[in-house]
Amino acid sequence: QVQLVESGGGSVQAGGSLLLSCSISGYMYPGFCMGWFRQAPGKEREGVAKIDDDGSTTYADSVKGRFTVFKDNAKKTLSLQMHRLKPEDTATYSCAASSSSACPHLDRLWAYNSWGQGTQVTVSS
């Protein structure tokens, strides 16, 4: 069982930056895939970015060029660097892990087995 704990959320003004971290503990799936997801009030959860076991990354169109997902296997940490934040980025951000043999697309939330509880990001205009 994988345990995930997010940190690094907070309140920033539009144009600012935040670094989110996800601490990983417990059993790691072989060839694991991890992603960041977010849910704004009144909206469905959506995929933000994912990173495959080989390090390849995928981003939602809304965050391309502004967000970067990376991981440190030795430190068992997944991170999301967010720049040029916008009010529409306001949401609860969660990290998730998938044990699927092929890294699930960002819109296949159901394929991610383990989830953290989330960290709040608020961007003011």
Side-chain angles (χ1 to χ4, degrees):
Q1 186 75 17
V2 177
Q3 289 84 44
L4 307 173
V5 179
E6 303 91 342
S7 61
S11 297
V12 296
Q13 290 191 328
S17 300
L18 280 175
L19 175 65
L20 303 184
S21 295
C22 174
S23 175
I24 308 163
S25 61
Y27 174 73
M28 295 304 302
Y29 311 121
F32 73 99
C33 166
M34 297 200 68
W36 284 98
F37 300 82
R38 67 186 182 186
Q39 186 168 22
K43 295 187 177 181
E44 293 186 352
R45 182 177 284 177
E46 63 177 0
V48 175
K50 70 179 181 77
I51 183 165
D52 294 22
D53 186 49
D54 64 1
S56 57
T57 57
T58 303
Y59 297 91
D61 288 343
S62 59
V63 306
K64 280 181 181 177
R66 300 189 297 122
F67 291 11
T68 303
V69 60
F70 56 98
K71 61 182 179 179
D72 186 327
N73 289 333
K75 295 183 179 180
K76 300 184 75 174
T77 301
L78 176 74
S79 299
L80 184 68
Q81 178 68 63
M82 305 185 293
H83 293 303
R84 302 197 304 278
L85 283 160
K86 305 175 181 180
E88 51 264 43
D89 294 319
T90 295
T92 298
Y93 285 71
S94 301
C95 61
S98 172
S99 61
S100 297
S101 56
C103 195
H105 194 275
L106 281 172
D107 61 1
R108 295 187 178 182
L109 278 67
W110 52 266
Y112 288 81
N113 317 69
S114 301
W115 291 81
Q117 291 192 333
T119 185
Q120 179 67 36
V121 171
T122 303
V123 185
S124 58
S125 56

